[in-house]
Amino acid sequence: MRQEDPVAPTAAAAPDQLRDAMRHAVALAARGLGSTSPNPVVGCVILDAHGTVVGEGFHERAGGPHAEVHALNAAGDKARGGTALVTLEPCNHTGRTGPCARALIKAGIARVVYAVSDPNPTATGGAQTLRNAGIDVEAGLLEDEARAGNIAWLTAVKTGRPYVTWKYAATLDGRIAAADGTSRWISSAESRADVHRLRAESDAVVVGSGTMRADDPHLAVRGIDGAVQPLRVVIDTEAAAVRPGARILDDAAPTLIAVAEDATTDLRHADVLRLPRAARGLDIQALLDALYARGVRSVLLEGGPTLAGAFVAAGAVDRVIGYLAPVLLGAGQAALADAGISTITDALRLDVTETVRIGPDLRITAALSPKES
């Protein structure tokens, strides 16, 4: 095998330059959310031998060039003797694209700094390949920030099921609808637009039969240029809620109807998934297994309180995003129905990771605490 050309010594970039470059790589990676599954989101920045940014890129589409390749192409010959900062350990295998570790070696990179080690057993080992080629390799720079940006894929690799975010909008007293069932609109236009961003960052959007009957939702992403439409999933146990002509059956995005194994349906041209029944509705784990097999790594749960309760009871909610509107109702549906929690000692404890003002509303993001997860 031909040996790679020797790499000229590189001037060490200052720590602040490395941190700034990695932080930018994390931001670049986020631009791939919703379009890379079943692959991770990854960002890469190339510094030349003097610490100047000469190339950058991110993984844009599954099956397309990886972040390192985009960044190396932008840097050209200026990459030789330089530093590559990558949010995830460069891959070491050949899939639909070649191994990024070899691309970095071929380009003459002298130093690689990555944030998070690759947990995928088929792709890991890139760091050792780089070291074997004489490249200086460092791990862990801004690891927490990079991990948070790639949490859906990392969780899916670890658990073998998609990462699930439950999204809801409620009044300050926790109601998602008034006593007469009306719910449009509790949250603001700004919050509703933000939900389209969440959809665009997700591989699948899931609702239940109650939401179908009440709202006839469309669930496609609107108002975001270039968004990859998520898979629209309806859990319709008895195959009675989704009727011919439903908005979700148009061609704006792919749609999957999950029904019980013994249900009868006349949706002849729809993509129907038959699943085992559970004590309440369908087997949630079986649904997630089927979605994972289809390449889904992140799920946005937009269903009502009954479906949310079933997911929580199944231990299948990883993150909660609540849009709280400055509104009081005093009666009406609560955001979460029976989730199998009967006493305060069994309550699921969450860690609030972000609070943001969205128009007049407050968006609260919380994840299961390490103890609960």
Side-chain angles (χ1 to χ4, degrees), residues 285-341:
Q285 187 57 56
L287 170 69
L288 294 176
D289 288 345
L291 292 177
Y292 188 91
R294 290 172 176 245
V296 171
R297 298 296 179 264
S298 59
V299 165
L300 181 63
L301 180 62
E302 290 198 42
T306 300
L307 186 59
F311 268 75
V312 171
V317 171
D318 301 291
R319 180 176 65 165
V320 179
I321 298 180
Y323 295 86
L324 300 184
V327 176
L328 297 176
L329 283 174
Q333 273 191 318
L336 184 66
D338 181 14
I341 301 169

Side-chain angles (χ1 to χ4, degrees), residues 195-197 199-200 205 217-223 227-232 247-248 250-255 302:
V195 170
H196 283 278
R197 176 189 60 82
R199 289 179 183 175
V205 179
H218 191 231
L219 300 182
V221 176
R222 298 189 302 275
V228 175
Q229 292 290 347
L231 175 68
R232 300 177 293 186
R247 298 173 68 213
I248 202 169
D250 68 10
D251 59 1
T255 300
E302 290 198 42

Side-chain angles (χ1 to χ4, degrees), residues 25-281:
V26 171
L28 287 170
R31 294 169 61 181
L33 287 169
S35 63
T36 65
S37 286
N39 298 336
V41 294
V42 183
C44 178
V45 173
I46 305 293
L47 306 180
D48 67 12
H50 305 289
T52 301
V53 175
V54 292
E56 63 181 49
F58 67 98
H59 186 33
E60 300 174 9
R61 293 285 189 277
H66 289 186
E68 295 93 325
V69 173
H70 281 302
L72 289 170
N73 287 341
D77 292 340
K78 295 178 181 178
R80 178 162 292 277
T83 299
L85 294 105
V86 195
T87 57
L88 185 69
E89 178 185 357
C91 66
N92 197 43
H93 79 298
T94 299
R96 284 184 282 182
T97 61
C100 291
R102 298 302 304 172
L104 291 164
I105 295 168
K106 184 177 180 180
I109 287 290
R111 184 184 188 190
V112 173
V113 180
Y114 66 88
V116 180
S117 296
D118 193 334
N120 186 347
T122 63
T124 192
Q128 190 57 52
T129 295
L130 293 168
R131 291 188 180 99
N132 291 344
I135 293 176
D136 180 24
V137 180
E138 301 173 30
L141 180 63
L142 299 188
E143 180 178 2
D144 289 346
E145 293 181 29
R147 184 174 295 278
N150 214 10
I151 190 63
W153 182 82
L154 290 168
T155 300
V157 171
K158 178 181 178 181
T159 63
R161 67 159 176 82
Y163 180 86
V164 177
T165 297
W166 169 41
K167 181 279 301 179
Y168 70 94
T171 63
L172 282 183
D173 54 340
R175 307 294 178 176
I176 65 166
D180 65 356
T182 56
S183 61
R184 295 189 177 185
W185 293 103
I186 285 176
S187 61
S188 65
E190 293 90 341
S191 289
R192 297 195 298 274
D194 194 59
V195 170
H196 283 278
R197 176 189 60 82
L198 292 180
R199 289 179 183 175
E201 293 178 353
S202 303
D203 299 330
V205 179
V206 178
V207 298
S209 56
T211 299
M212 278 302 305
R213 292 190 181 94
D215 300 334
D216 186 23
H218 191 231
L219 300 182
V221 176
R222 298 189 302 275
I224 299 179
D225 293 338
V228 175
Q229 292 290 347
L231 175 68
R232 300 177 293 186
V233 182
V234 180
I235 300 180
D236 187 8
T237 304
E238 305 301 336
V242 181
R243 309 307 303 163
R247 298 173 68 213
I248 202 169
L249 295 177
D250 68 10
D251 59 1
T255 300
L256 178 67
I257 314 299
V259 304
E261 290 173 325
D262 57 352
T264 301
T265 175
D266 58 357
L267 295 175
R268 300 173 184 173
H269 302 295
D271 189 359
V272 175
L273 172 67
R274 296 189 176 275
L275 295 172
R277 291 181 182 269
R280 295 180 295 175

